[in-house]
Amino acid sequence: MDSVMRLHKLPIVSMAIVLTIALTALHSSTSSESNERTLAFEQAQTAARDHAQAHPILEVDAVGARLLGEDWLAQMRTRASEAGLWRFDLPPRLEVLAQADLDALLAETRAARSAADPVWHLGVLDARTPPLNYLAHVFVHETLVGLLLSALVLLLAGGTLERSWGSPAFAAFVLAAIPATASVHRLLDGASSEPWSGGAGLAAALLGAYFIRGLSGRFALPGWLLLPVWVVAEAYLVRGATLQDPFSMPWSTFSAAVGFGAVGAGLFQL
């Protein structure tokens, strides 16, 4: 009977998510094909850059600029403008063909980047993102610090909430929070053209729920302390924000995620 009770109190869902995150990172770091895929991406990027440099007047969307390299694209266009290349416009028909060729090269570059980079492969980016990615993105992280921070929140806040709510209710909350925060990021912060990946959105939702649930004082670690500590760590250690430039943090997404968690905790409490 005691063993059954201990198993019932074990945060199985939180531990399973942390284990999957760790295994995904291990698989990505030890994949024997990663070097070949990275080389394929670099070759596709070089071909796209050569074409863009030959026709600097062609249009490149935000995702294309990210694939080519935003700094490289800006510098290339500056050099073309200083050299007076903007004056030599293509005839309309040739410009359409050149644009189609560039779009095709960028599509190949995106496919190669997706094959080489788990963040692009499983992250949430734009309307072409596969539906499965809205759940799978939570298991891939760009940095080790981001991975460790997400795992820590899952074990501290997630494990506490799971023991309080029970694993079925906690699993339902997690399955709702993951795609919800990814969708909010696409709508509110998607202009960055950076794939949304990692457990930060889920962590924000968990901490929002933890804050509301812990107002009664029943948790050892108070939510009013845990939430701001996580925000500072996520902003400055993971996202690279500074006091001079605090906007590298997707504040709209994280605010919505915390609100989602707070509302979810309120509904569970009712």
Side-chain angles (χ1 to χ4, degrees):
M1 186 66 177
D2 290 341
S3 62
V4 173
M5 289 299 295
R6 284 196 297 269
L7 183 61
H8 176 70
K9 289 295 184 180
L10 195 66
I12 299 173
V13 176
S14 300
M15 293 173 64
I17 296 174
V18 171
L19 180 60
T20 305
I21 288 173
L23 291 176
T24 302
L26 181 63
H27 173 73
S28 299
S29 63
T30 58
S31 176
S32 59
E33 299 178 352
S34 59
N35 291 335
E36 296 177 5
R37 292 173 178 173
T38 300
L39 180 60
F41 162 67
E42 291 173 351
Q43 291 172 342
Q45 184 188 55
T46 299
R49 282 180 171 182
D50 289 343
H51 189 78
Q53 190 165 6
H55 308 287
I57 63 172
L58 298 179
E59 294 182 1
V60 178
D61 63 12
V63 176
R66 176 76 65 174
L67 291 167
L68 291 174
E70 293 172 334
D71 292 340
W72 177 89
L73 184 62
Q75 292 171 9
M76 181 272 289
R77 286 178 166 172
T78 298
R79 290 194 299 269
S81 179
E82 291 173 350
L85 297 180
W86 293 106
R87 295 196 301 267
F88 300 101
D89 294 336
L90 291 171
R93 178 175 173 277
L94 293 180
E95 184 175 339
V96 169
L97 292 175
Q99 184 69 58
D101 289 340
L102 178 60
D103 293 342
L105 288 169
L106 287 174
E108 293 176 6
T109 305
R110 174 171 174 153
R113 179 70 183 268
S114 179
D117 188 345
V119 169
W120 278 75
H121 181 58
L122 296 176
V124 175
L125 182 59
D126 54 23
R128 291 174 286 177
T129 299
L132 182 61
N133 284 29
Y134 283 87
L135 286 173
H137 75 272
V138 78
F139 301 112
V140 291
H141 293 74
E142 286 193 274
T143 65
L144 179 60
V145 176
L147 186 155
L148 293 175
L149 189 59
S150 295
L152 186 63
V153 171
L154 274 161
L155 293 176
L156 288 178
T160 303
L161 288 170
E162 185 174 353
R163 283 188 289 268
S164 177
W165 289 342
S167 293
F170 180 78
F173 175 84
V174 168
L175 288 174
I178 293 174
T181 54
S183 299
V184 168
H185 183 270
R186 239 201 74 193
L187 293 173
L188 300 182
D189 293 306
S192 66
S193 299
E194 183 73 23
W196 175 249
S197 64
L202 175 60
L206 290 174
L207 288 170
Y210 185 92
F211 176 84
I212 295 298
R213 189 70 175 173
L215 290 177
S216 60
R218 60 187 296 179
F219 294 158
L221 282 173
W224 58 263
L225 176 62
L226 201 55
L227 179 57
V229 167
W230 173 82
V231 169
V232 171
E234 182 70 28
Y236 293 99
L237 297 181
V238 179
R239 306 282 165 176
T242 62
L243 293 176
Q244 293 75 24
D245 180 25
F247 297 105
S248 58
M249 181 86 160
W251 294 109
S252 299
T253 300
F254 287 121
S255 299
V258 170
F260 180 94
V263 171
L267 292 175
F268 276 128
Q269 207 153 0
L270 290 175

